[in-house]
Coordinates of all heavy atoms in Angstrom, one line a residue:
M1 N 235.8 92.2 158.0 CA 236.4 93.0 157.0 C 237.9 92.9 157.2 O 238.7 92.7 156.3 CB 235.9 94.4 157.2 CG 236.6 95.4 156.2 SD 235.4 95.8 155.0 CE 236.2 97.0 154.2
S2 N 238.4 93.2 158.5 CA 239.8 93.1 158.7 C 240.3 91.7 158.5 O 241.4 91.5 158.1 CB 240.2 93.6 160.1 OG 239.6 92.8 161.1
R3 N 239.4 90.7 158.8 CA 239.8 89.3 158.6 C 240.1 89.0 157.1 O 241.1 88.3 156.8 CB 238.7 88.4 159.1 CG 239.1 86.9 159.1 CD 238.4 86.1 160.1 NE 238.6 84.7 160.0 CZ 239.7 84.1 160.6 NH1 240.5 84.8 161.3 NH2 239.9 82.8 160.5
T4 N 239.3 89.5 156.3 CA 239.5 89.4 154.8 C 240.8 90.0 154.4 O 241.6 89.4 153.7 CB 238.3 90.0 154.0 OG1 237.1 89.4 154.4 CG2 238.5 89.8 152.5
Y5 N 241.0 91.2 154.9 CA 242.3 91.9 154.6 C 243.5 91.0 155.1 O 244.5 90.8 154.4 CB 242.3 93.3 155.3 CG 243.6 94.0 155.2 CD1 244.0 94.5 154.0 CD2 244.5 94.0 156.3 CE1 245.3 95.1 153.9 CE2 245.7 94.7 156.2 CZ 246.1 95.2 155.0 OH 247.3 95.8 154.9
S6 N 243.3 90.5 156.3 CA 244.4 89.7 156.9 C 244.7 88.5 156.1 O 245.8 88.1 155.9 CB 244.0 89.4 158.4 OG 245.0 88.5 158.9
W7 N 243.6 87.8 155.7 CA 243.7 86.6 154.9 C 244.4 86.9 153.5 O 245.3 86.2 153.1 CB 242.4 86.0 154.6 CG 242.4 84.7 153.8 CD1 241.9 84.6 152.6 CD2 243.0 83.5 154.2 NE1 242.2 83.3 152.1 CE2 242.8 82.6 153.1 CE3 243.6 83.0 155.3 CZ2 243.3 81.3 153.1 CZ3 244.0 81.7 155.3 CH2 243.9 80.9 154.2
S8 N 244.0 88.0 152.9 CA 244.6 88.4 151.7 C 246.1 88.7 151.8 O 246.9 88.4 151.0 CB 243.9 89.6 151.1 OG 242.6 89.3 150.8
R9 N 246.4 89.4 152.9 CA 247.8 89.7 153.2 C 248.6 88.5 153.4 O 249.7 88.3 152.9 CB 247.9 90.7 154.4 CG 249.3 91.3 154.5 CD 249.4 92.3 155.6 NE 249.5 91.6 156.8 CZ 249.5 92.2 158.0 NH1 249.3 93.4 158.1 NH2 249.6 91.5 159.1
R10 N 248.0 87.5 154.2 CA 248.7 86.3 154.4 C 248.9 85.5 153.1 O 250.0 85.0 152.9 CB 247.8 85.4 155.4 CG 248.5 84.1 155.7 CD 247.7 83.3 156.7 NE 247.7 84.0 158.0 CZ 246.9 83.7 158.9 NH1 246.0 82.7 158.8 NH2 246.9 84.4 160.1
S11 N 247.9 85.5 152.3 CA 248.0 84.8 151.0 C 249.1 85.5 150.1 O 249.9 84.8 149.5 CB 246.7 84.9 150.3 OG 246.8 84.3 149.0
L12 N 249.1 86.8 150.1 CA 250.1 87.5 149.4 C 251.5 87.2 149.9 O 252.5 86.9 149.2 CB 249.9 89.0 149.5 CG 250.9 89.9 148.8 CD1 251.0 89.7 147.3 CD2 250.6 91.4 149.1
L13 N 251.7 87.2 151.3 CA 253.0 86.9 151.9 C 253.4 85.5 151.5 O 254.6 85.2 151.2 CB 252.9 87.1 153.4 CG 252.8 88.6 153.8 CD1 252.6 88.7 155.3 CD2 254.0 89.4 153.4
K14 N 252.5 84.5 151.5 CA 252.8 83.2 151.1 C 253.3 83.1 149.7 O 254.3 82.4 149.4 CB 251.6 82.2 151.3 CG 251.3 81.8 152.7 CD 250.2 80.8 152.7 CE 249.9 80.3 154.1 NZ 248.7 79.4 154.1
R15 N 252.6 83.8 148.9 CA 253.0 83.8 147.4 C 254.4 84.4 147.3 O 255.2 84.0 146.5 CB 252.0 84.5 146.6 CG 250.7 83.7 146.4 CD 249.6 84.5 145.8 NE 248.4 83.8 145.8 CZ 247.6 83.4 144.8 NH1 248.0 83.7 143.6 NH2 246.5 82.8 145.0
L16 N 254.6 85.5 148.0 CA 255.9 86.2 147.9 C 257.0 85.3 148.4 O 258.1 85.2 147.8 CB 255.9 87.5 148.7 CG 255.2 88.7 148.0 CD1 255.1 89.9 149.0 CD2 255.9 89.1 146.7
A17 N 256.7 84.6 149.5 CA 257.7 83.7 150.1 C 258.0 82.5 149.1 O 259.1 82.1 148.9 CB 257.2 83.1 151.4
L18 N 257.0 82.0 148.5 CA 257.1 80.9 147.5 C 257.9 81.4 146.3 O 258.8 80.7 145.8 CB 255.7 80.4 147.0 CG 255.8 79.2 146.0 CD1 256.4 78.0 146.7 CD2 254.4 78.9 145.6
G19 N 257.6 82.6 145.8 CA 258.3 83.2 144.7 C 259.8 83.4 145.0 O 260.7 83.1 144.2
T20 N 260.0 83.9 146.2 CA 261.4 84.2 146.7 C 262.2 82.9 146.8 O 263.3 82.8 146.4 CB 261.4 84.9 148.0 OG1 260.6 86.1 147.9 CG2 262.8 85.2 148.5
T21 N 261.5 81.8 147.2 CA 262.1 80.5 147.3 C 262.4 79.9 145.9 O 263.5 79.3 145.7 CB 261.2 79.5 148.1 OG1 261.0 80.1 149.4 CG2 261.9 78.2 148.3
L22 N 261.5 80.0 145.0 CA 261.6 79.3 143.7 C 262.4 80.1 142.7 O 262.9 79.6 141.8 CB 260.2 79.0 143.2 CG 259.4 78.0 143.9 CD1 258.0 77.8 143.3 CD2 260.1 76.7 144.1
A23 N 262.5 81.4 142.9 CA 263.3 82.3 141.9 C 264.7 81.8 141.7 O 265.1 81.6 140.6 CB 263.2 83.7 142.3
P24 N 265.5 81.5 142.8 CA 266.9 81.0 142.5 C 266.9 79.7 141.8 O 267.7 79.5 141.0 CB 267.4 80.9 143.9 CG 266.6 81.8 144.8 CD 265.2 81.8 144.2
L25 N 265.9 78.8 142.1 CA 265.8 77.5 141.5 C 265.6 77.7 140.0 O 266.2 77.1 139.1 CB 264.8 76.7 142.1 CG 264.5 75.3 141.5 CD1 265.8 74.4 141.6 CD2 263.3 74.6 142.1
A26 N 264.6 78.6 139.7 CA 264.3 78.8 138.3 C 265.5 79.5 137.5 O 265.8 79.1 136.4 CB 263.1 79.8 138.2
A27 N 266.2 80.4 138.2 CA 267.3 81.0 137.6 C 268.4 80.0 137.3 O 269.1 80.0 136.3 CB 267.9 82.1 138.4
S28 N 268.6 79.1 138.3 CA 269.6 78.0 138.1 C 269.3 77.1 137.0 O 270.1 76.7 136.2 CB 269.7 77.2 139.4 OG 270.5 76.1 139.3
L29 N 268.0 76.7 136.9 CA 267.6 75.8 135.8 C 267.8 76.5 134.4 O 268.2 75.9 133.5 CB 266.1 75.4 136.0 CG 265.9 74.4 137.2 CD1 264.4 74.2 137.3 CD2 266.7 73.1 137.0
T30 N 267.5 77.8 134.4 CA 267.6 78.5 133.1 C 269.1 78.6 132.7 O 269.4 78.4 131.6 CB 267.0 80.0 133.3 OG1 265.7 79.8 133.7 CG2 267.1 80.7 132.0
R31 N 269.9 78.9 133.7 CA 271.4 79.0 133.4 C 271.9 77.6 132.9 O 272.7 77.5 132.0 CB 272.2 79.4 134.6 CG 272.2 80.9 134.8 CD 273.3 81.3 135.8 NE 273.1 80.6 137.1 CZ 272.4 81.1 138.1 NH1 271.8 82.2 138.0 NH2 272.3 80.4 139.2
R32 N 271.4 76.6 133.6 CA 271.9 75.2 133.3 C 271.4 74.9 131.9 O 272.2 74.3 131.1 CB 271.3 74.2 134.3 CG 272.0 72.9 134.2 CD 271.6 71.9 135.2 NE 272.0 72.5 136.6 CZ 271.5 71.9 137.7 NH1 270.7 70.9 137.7 NH2 271.8 72.5 138.8
A33 N 270.2 75.2 131.5 CA 269.7 74.9 130.2 C 270.5 75.7 129.1 O 270.8 75.2 128.0 CB 268.2 75.2 130.1
A34 N 270.8 76.9 129.4 CA 271.6 77.8 128.5 C 273.0 77.3 128.3 O 273.6 77.3 127.2 CB 271.6 79.2 128.9
A35 N 273.6 76.7 129.4 CA 275.0 76.2 129.3 C 275.1 74.8 128.7 O 276.1 74.4 128.3 CB 275.5 76.2 130.7
A36 N 274.0 74.1 128.7 CA 274.0 72.7 128.2 C 274.3 72.7 126.7 O 273.7 73.5 126.0 CB 272.7 72.0 128.5
P37 N 275.3 71.9 126.3 CA 275.6 71.9 124.8 C 274.4 71.3 124.1 O 273.6 70.4 124.6 CB 276.8 71.0 124.8 CG 276.7 70.1 126.0 CD 276.1 71.0 127.1
A38 N 274.3 71.7 122.8 CA 273.2 71.2 122.0 C 273.5 69.7 121.7 O 274.7 69.3 121.7 CB 273.1 72.0 120.7
M39 N 272.5 69.0 121.4 CA 272.7 67.6 121.1 C 273.5 67.4 119.7 O 273.2 68.1 118.8 CB 271.3 66.9 120.9 CG 271.4 65.4 120.8 SD 269.7 64.6 121.1 CE 268.7 65.6 120.0
L40 N 274.4 66.4 119.7 CA 275.1 66.1 118.5 C 274.2 65.4 117.5 O 273.4 64.6 117.9 CB 276.3 65.3 118.8 CG 277.6 66.0 119.3 CD1 278.6 64.9 119.8 CD2 278.2 66.8 118.2
V41 N 274.5 65.6 116.3 CA 273.8 64.9 115.2 C 274.3 63.5 115.3 O 275.5 63.2 115.3 CB 274.1 65.5 113.8 CG1 273.6 64.6 112.7 CG2 273.6 66.9 113.7
S42 N 273.4 62.5 115.3 CA 273.8 61.1 115.3 C 274.1 60.7 113.8 O 273.2 60.8 113.0 CB 272.7 60.3 115.9 OG 273.0 58.9 115.6
P43 N 275.3 60.1 113.5 CA 275.6 59.7 112.2 C 274.6 58.7 111.7 O 274.4 58.5 110.5 CB 277.0 59.1 112.3 CG 277.6 59.8 113.5 CD 276.4 60.0 114.4
G44 N 273.9 58.0 112.6 CA 273.0 56.9 112.2 C 271.6 57.4 111.9 O 270.7 56.7 111.5
S45 N 271.3 58.7 112.2 CA 270.0 59.2 112.0 C 269.7 59.4 110.5 O 270.6 59.6 109.7 CB 269.9 60.6 112.7 OG 270.7 61.6 112.1
P46 N 268.4 59.4 110.1 CA 268.0 59.5 108.7 C 268.5 60.9 108.1 O 269.0 60.9 107.0 CB 266.5 59.5 108.8 CG 266.2 58.7 110.0 CD 267.3 59.1 111.0
E47 N 268.5 61.9 108.9 CA 268.9 63.2 108.4 C 270.4 63.2 108.1 O 270.9 63.9 107.2 CB 268.6 64.3 109.4 CG 269.2 64.1 110.8 CD 268.7 65.1 111.9 OE1 267.9 66.0 111.5 OE2 269.1 64.9 113.0
A48 N 271.2 62.5 109.0 CA 272.6 62.4 108.7 C 273.0 61.5 107.6 O 273.8 61.8 106.8 CB 273.3 61.9 110.0
K49 N 272.3 60.4 107.5 CA 272.5 59.5 106.4 C 272.2 60.1 105.1 O 272.8 59.8 104.1 CB 271.7 58.2 106.6 CG 272.2 57.3 107.7 CD 271.4 56.0 107.8 CE 272.0 55.1 108.8 NZ 271.2 53.8 108.9
A50 N 271.2 61.0 105.0 CA 270.8 61.6 103.8 C 271.9 62.4 103.2 O 272.0 62.6 101.9 CB 269.6 62.5 104.0
V51 N 272.8 62.9 104.0 CA 274.0 63.7 103.5 C 275.3 63.0 103.8 O 276.4 63.7 103.8 CB 273.9 65.2 104.1 CG1 272.8 66.0 103.5 CG2 273.9 65.2 105.6
Q52 N 275.3 61.8 104.1 CA 276.5 60.9 104.4 C 277.3 61.6 105.5 O 278.6 61.5 105.4 CB 277.3 60.8 103.1 CG 276.5 60.1 102.0 CD 277.2 60.3 100.7 OE1 278.4 60.6 100.6 NE2 276.5 60.0 99.6
Y53 N 276.7 62.2 106.5 CA 277.4 62.8 107.6 C 278.2 61.7 108.4 O 277.7 60.7 108.7 CB 276.5 63.5 108.6 CG 277.2 64.0 109.8 CD1 278.1 65.1 109.8 CD2 277.0 63.4 111.0 CE1 278.7 65.5 110.9 CE2 277.7 63.8 112.2 CZ 278.5 64.9 112.1 OH 279.2 65.3 113.2
T54 N 279.5 62.1 108.7 CA 280.3 61.3 109.5 C 281.0 62.2 110.5 O 281.3 63.3 110.2 CB 281.4 60.5 108.6 OG1 282.2 59.8 109.5 CG2 282.2 61.4 107.8
E55 N 281.3 61.6 111.7 CA 282.0 62.5 112.7 C 283.5 62.6 112.4 O 284.2 63.3 113.1 CB 281.8 61.9 114.1 CG 280.3 62.0 114.5 CD 280.0 61.5 115.9 OE1 280.8 60.7 116.4 OE2 279.1 62.0 116.5
D56 N 284.0 61.8 111.5 CA 285.4 61.8 111.1 C 285.6 61.9 109.6 O 285.4 60.9 108.9 CB 286.1 60.5 111.7 CG 287.6 60.5 111.4 OD1 288.2 61.6 110.9 OD2 288.3 59.5 111.7
A57 N 286.0 63.1 109.2 CA 286.1 63.3 107.7 C 287.1 62.3 107.1 O 286.9 62.0 105.9 CB 286.6 64.8 107.5
K58 N 288.0 61.8 107.8 CA 289.0 60.9 107.2 C 288.3 59.6 106.8 O 288.8 58.9 105.9 CB 290.1 60.6 108.2 CG 291.0 61.8 108.5 CD 292.0 61.4 109.6 CE 292.7 62.7 110.1 NZ 293.2 62.6 111.4
S59 N 287.2 59.3 107.3 CA 286.5 58.1 107.0 C 285.5 58.3 105.8 O 284.9 57.3 105.3 CB 285.7 57.5 108.2 OG 284.7 58.4 108.5
A60 N 285.4 59.5 105.3 CA 284.5 59.8 104.2 C 285.3 59.7 102.9 O 286.2 60.5 102.6 CB 284.0 61.3 104.3
H61 N 285.0 58.7 102.2 CA 285.7 58.3 101.0 C 285.6 59.4 99.8 O 286.5 59.5 99.0 CB 285.4 56.9 100.4 CG 285.5 55.9 101.5 ND1 286.8 55.6 102.0 CD2 284.6 55.1 102.1 CE1 286.6 54.6 102.9 NE2 285.3 54.3 103.0
T62 N 284.4 60.1 99.8 CA 284.2 61.1 98.8 C 284.6 62.5 99.2 O 284.4 63.4 98.4 CB 282.7 61.0 98.3 OG1 281.9 61.2 99.5 CG2 282.4 59.7 97.7
A63 N 285.1 62.7 100.4 CA 285.4 64.0 100.8 C 286.7 64.5 100.2 O 287.6 63.7 100.0 CB 285.6 64.0 102.4
Q64 N 286.7 65.8 99.8 CA 288.0 66.4 99.3 C 289.0 66.4 100.5 O 288.6 66.7 101.6 CB 287.7 67.8 98.9 CG 286.9 68.0 97.7 CD 286.6 69.4 97.3 OE1 287.3 70.3 97.9 NE2 285.7 69.7 96.5
P65 N 290.2 66.1 100.2 CA 291.2 66.0 101.2 C 291.3 67.4 102.0 O 291.3 68.4 101.4 CB 292.5 65.8 100.5 CG 292.1 65.1 99.2 CD 290.8 65.7 98.9
G66 N 291.2 67.3 103.3 CA 291.3 68.5 104.1 C 290.0 69.1 104.4 O 289.9 70.1 105.2
S67 N 288.9 68.7 103.8 CA 287.6 69.3 104.0 C 287.0 68.7 105.3 O 286.9 67.5 105.4 CB 286.7 69.2 102.8 OG 286.4 67.8 102.6
T68 N 286.6 69.5 106.2 CA 285.9 69.1 107.4 C 284.8 70.1 107.8 O 284.8 71.2 107.2 CB 286.9 69.0 108.6 OG1 287.4 70.4 108.9 CG2 288.1 68.1 108.3
C69 N 284.1 69.7 108.7 CA 283.0 70.7 109.2 C 283.7 72.0 109.6 O 283.1 73.1 109.4 CB 282.2 70.1 110.3 SG 281.2 68.7 109.8
A70 N 284.8 71.9 110.3 CA 285.5 73.1 110.8 C 285.8 74.2 109.7 O 285.8 75.4 110.0 CB 286.7 72.8 111.5
N71 N 286.0 73.7 108.5 CA 286.3 74.7 107.4 C 285.2 74.7 106.3 O 285.4 75.1 105.2 CB 287.7 74.4 106.8 CG 287.8 73.0 106.2 OD1 286.8 72.4 105.8 ND2 289.0 72.5 106.1
C72 N 284.0 74.3 106.8 CA 282.8 74.4 105.9 C 282.1 75.7 106.1 O 282.0 76.2 107.2 CB 281.9 73.2 106.2 SG 280.3 73.3 105.4
A73 N 281.6 76.2 105.0 CA 280.9 77.5 105.1 C 279.6 77.4 105.9 O 279.1 78.5 106.4 CB 280.5 78.0 103.7
L74 N 279.1 76.3 106.1 CA 277.8 76.1 106.9 C 278.0 75.8 108.3 O 277.1 75.8 109.1 CB 277.0 75.0 106.2 CG 276.7 75.1 104.8 CD1 275.9 73.9 104.2 CD2 275.8 76.4 104.5
Y75 N 279.3 75.7 108.7 CA 279.6 75.5 110.1 C 279.6 76.8 110.9 O 280.1 77.8 110.5 CB 281.0 74.8 110.2 CG 281.5 74.4 111.6 CD1 280.8 73.4 112.3 CD2 282.5 75.1 112.3 CE1 281.2 73.0 113.5 CE2 282.9 74.7 113.6 CZ 282.3 73.7 114.2 OH 282.7 73.3 115.4
Q76 N 279.0 76.8 112.1 CA 278.8 78.0 112.9 C 279.5 77.9 114.2 O 279.3 78.7 115.1 CB 277.3 78.3 113.1 CG 276.6 78.5 111.7 CD 275.1 78.7 111.9 OE1 274.5 78.0 112.6 NE2 274.6 79.7 111.2
G77 N 280.3 76.9 114.4 CA 281.1 76.8 115.7 C 282.2 77.8 115.7 O 282.7 78.3 114.7
A78 N 282.7 78.1 116.9 CA 283.8 79.0 117.1 C 285.1 78.4 116.6 O 285.2 77.2 116.5 CB 283.9 79.4 118.6
D79 N 286.0 79.2 116.2 CA 287.3 78.8 115.7 C 287.9 77.9 116.8 O 287.9 78.3 118.0 CB 288.2 79.9 115.4 CG 287.9 80.6 114.1 OD1 287.1 80.0 113.3 OD2 288.3 81.7 113.9
G80 N 288.4 76.8 116.5 CA 289.1 75.9 117.5 C 288.1 75.0 118.3 O 288.5 74.3 119.1
S81 N 286.8 75.2 118.0 CA 285.8 74.4 118.8 C 285.8 72.9 118.3 O 286.2 72.7 117.2 CB 284.4 75.0 118.7 OG 284.1 75.0 117.3
A82 N 285.5 72.0 119.2 CA 285.5 70.6 118.9 C 284.1 70.3 118.2 O 284.1 69.3 117.5 CB 285.6 69.8 120.2
Q83 N 283.1 71.1 118.4 CA 281.8 70.9 117.8 C 281.1 72.2 117.7 O 281.4 73.1 118.4 CB 281.0 69.8 118.5 CG 280.6 70.2 119.9 CD 279.9 69.1 120.7 OE1 280.5 68.1 120.9 NE2 278.7 69.3 121.1
G84 N 280.1 72.2 116.9 CA 279.3 73.5 116.8 C 278.1 73.3 115.9 O 277.9 72.2 115.3
P85 N 277.3 74.3 115.8 CA 276.1 74.2 115.0 C 276.4 74.2 113.5 O 277.4 74.7 113.1 CB 275.3 75.5 115.4 CG 276.0 76.0 116.6 CD 277.4 75.5 116.6
C86 N 275.5 73.6 112.8 CA 275.6 73.5 111.4 C 274.2 74.0 110.8 O 273.2 73.6 111.3 CB 275.9 72.1 110.9 SG 275.6 71.9 109.1
Q87 N 274.3 74.7 109.8 CA 273.0 75.3 109.2 C 272.1 74.2 108.7 O 270.9 74.5 108.6 CB 273.3 76.3 108.1 CG 274.0 77.5 108.7 CD 274.3 78.5 107.6 OE1 273.7 78.6 106.5 NE2 275.4 79.3 107.8
I88 N 272.6 73.1 108.3 CA 271.6 72.1 107.8 C 271.0 71.2 108.8 O 270.2 70.4 108.5 CB 272.3 71.2 106.6 CG1 273.4 70.3 107.2 CG2 272.8 72.1 105.5 CD1 273.8 69.3 106.1
F89 N 271.5 71.3 110.1 CA 271.0 70.5 111.2 C 270.5 71.5 112.3 O 271.2 71.6 113.3 CB 272.0 69.5 111.7 CG 272.5 68.5 110.8 CD1 273.8 68.5 110.3 CD2 271.6 67.5 110.3 CE1 274.2 67.5 109.5 CE2 272.0 66.6 109.4 CZ 273.3 66.5 109.0
P90 N 269.4 72.2 112.1 CA 269.0 73.2 113.1 C 268.8 72.6 114.5 O 268.2 71.5 114.6 CB 267.6 73.7 112.5 CG 267.6 73.3 111.1 CD 268.5 72.1 111.0
G91 N 269.3 73.3 115.5 CA 269.2 72.9 116.8 C 270.1 71.8 117.3 O 270.1 71.3 118.4
K92 N 271.0 71.3 116.4 CA 272.0 70.3 116.7 C 273.4 70.7 116.4 O 273.5 71.7 115.6 CB 271.6 69.0 116.0 CG 270.3 68.4 116.5 CD 270.0 67.0 115.9 CE 268.7 66.5 116.4 NZ 268.4 65.2 115.8
E93 N 274.3 70.0 116.8 CA 275.7 70.3 116.5 C 276.4 69.2 115.8 O 276.0 68.0 115.9 CB 276.5 70.7 117.8 CG 275.9 72.0 118.5 CD 276.8 72.5 119.6 OE1 277.7 71.7 120.0 OE2 276.6 73.6 120.0
V94 N 277.5 69.5 115.1 CA 278.3 68.5 114.4 C 279.7 68.6 114.9 O 280.1 69.6 115.5 CB 278.2 68.7 112.9 CG1 276.8 68.5 112.3 CG2 278.7 70.1 112.5
K95 N 280.4 67.5 114.8 CA 281.8 67.5 115.2 C 282.6 68.4 114.2 O 282.4 68.3 113.0 CB 282.4 66.1 115.1 CG 281.8 65.2 116.2 CD 282.4 65.4 117.5 CE 282.0 64.3 118.5 NZ 282.7 64.5 119.8
A96 N 283.6 69.1 114.7 CA 284.4 70.0 113.8 C 285.2 69.1 112.9 O 285.5 69.5 111.7 CB 285.3 70.8 114.7
A97 N 285.5 67.9 113.3 CA 286.3 67.0 112.5 C 285.4 66.2 111.5 O 285.9 65.4 110.7 CB 287.1 66.0 113.3
G98 N 284.1 66.5 111.5 CA 283.2 65.7 110.7 C 283.2 66.2 109.3 O 283.9 67.1 108.9
W99 N 282.2 65.6 108.5 CA 282.1 66.0 107.1 C 280.8 65.5 106.6 O 280.2 64.5 107.2 CB 283.2 65.4 106.3 CG 283.1 65.7 104.8 CD1 283.7 66.8 104.2 CD2 282.5 64.9 103.8 NE1 283.4 66.7 102.8 CE2 282.6 65.6 102.6 CE3 281.7 63.7 103.8 CZ2 282.1 65.1 101.4 CZ3 281.2 63.3 102.6 CH2 281.4 64.0 101.4
C100 N 280.2 66.1 105.6 CA 279.0 65.5 104.9 C 279.1 66.0 103.5 O 279.9 66.8 103.1 CB 277.7 66.0 105.6 SG 277.1 67.6 105.1
S101 N 278.2 65.4 102.7 CA 278.2 65.7 101.2 C 277.7 67.1 100.9 O 277.9 67.5 99.8 CB 277.3 64.7 100.5 OG 276.0 64.7 101.0
S102 N 277.2 67.8 101.9 CA 276.8 69.2 101.7 C 278.0 70.2 102.0 O 277.8 71.4 101.9 CB 275.6 69.6 102.5 OG 274.5 68.9 102.1
W103 N 279.2 69.7 102.2 CA 280.3 70.6 102.5 C 280.5 71.6 101.5 O 280.4 71.4 100.3 CB 281.6 69.7 102.6 CG 282.8 70.6 103.0 CD1 283.2 70.9 104.2 CD2 283.7 71.2 102.1 NE1 284.3 71.7 104.2 CE2 284.7 71.9 102.9 CE3 283.8 71.3 100.7 CZ2 285.7 72.7 102.3 CZ3 284.8 72.1 100.2 CH2 285.8 72.7 101.0
A104 N 280.7 72.9 101.9 CA 280.8 74.0 101.0 C 282.1 74.8 101.4 O 282.2 75.1 102.6 CB 279.6 74.9 101.0
A105 N 282.8 75.2 100.4 CA 284.0 76.0 100.8 C 283.7 77.4 101.3 O 282.7 78.0 100.9 CB 284.9 76.2 99.5
Q106 N 284.4 77.8 102.3 CA 284.2 79.2 102.8 C 284.7 80.2 101.8 O 285.6 80.0 101.1 CB 285.0 79.3 104.1 CG 284.5 78.4 105.2 CD 285.4 78.5 106.5 OE1 286.5 79.0 106.4 NE2 284.8 78.1 107.6
M107 N 284.0 81.3 101.8 CA 284.3 82.4 100.8 C 285.3 83.3 101.4 O 285.4 83.6 102.5 CB 283.1 83.2 100.4 CG 282.0 82.3 99.9 SD 282.0 82.4 98.1 CE 280.9 81.1 97.7
Ligands
SF4_201 FE1 279.7 69.6 108.4 FE2 279.3 71.5 106.5 FE3 278.1 69.1 106.3 FE4 277.4 70.9 108.2 S1 277.2 71.1 105.9 S2 277.7 68.7 108.5 S3 279.3 71.8 108.7 S4 280.3 69.5 106.2

C-alpha cells in the first residue's frame, strides 16, 4: 500500500519536474511565435497576381500617383511601418510601399 503511494508520489514528482523544466521552453516558443513577423505576400503568388500586387507602387503603371498600401483603407499596419497586414490577404503582410488594384482611399 505504501509502495503504491510512494510510486504515485514519485510519478507525480517526475511530472512536476518535467513540467517545471518544459514550462520556460514553452513560454519562450510562444513568445517567439508571437514576435515573429507574418509572412509577406509574394508578388508572384496567384493571390497577388489576381490583384496585380507589387511591392513597389512606383512600378504599378495603373496606380494613381501617390497611392500605396500605407495610405490604403485596407492596410492595417501601424503608421510609419515598413509592412503590415492587409484585409485582402488574411494572415499575411504587404509592403507599405506596395500597391494593388484593390487600393481604396481612406475615409
Ligand atoms: Fe495594399 Fe490596399 Fe492592395 Fe492591400 S488592398 S495590397 S493595402 S493596396
Side-chain angles (χ1 to χ4, degrees):
M1 180 107 170
S2 67
R3 183 154 177 84
T4 302
Y5 171 75
S6 176
W7 180 251
S8 295
R9 191 174 80 185
R10 181 177 296 165
S11 176
L12 176 64
L13 290 173
K14 279 184 181 177
R15 287 172 191 238
L16 283 173
L18 181 63
T20 303
T21 303
L22 294 179
L25 177 63
S28 172
L29 291 174
T30 302
R31 275 194 305 270
R32 195 174 297 168
M39 188 167 49
L40 275 171
V41 172
S42 170
S45 67
E47 60 190 352
K49 286 183 175 178
V51 291
Q52 303 167 12
Y53 171 73
T54 176
E55 291 184 336
D56 182 6
K58 293 175 189 155
S59 68
H61 304 296
T62 55
Q64 293 177 13
S67 62
T68 65
C69 291
N71 58 27
C72 173
L74 303 175
Y75 185 68
Q76 299 177 316
D79 286 344
S81 59
Q83 65 187 59
C86 166
Q87 292 179 29
I88 67 168
F89 298 115
K92 294 186 179 177
E93 293 192 348
V94 295
K95 293 279 192 179
W99 179 88
C100 86
S101 60
S102 294
W103 182 88
Q106 295 175 340
M107 304 261 171

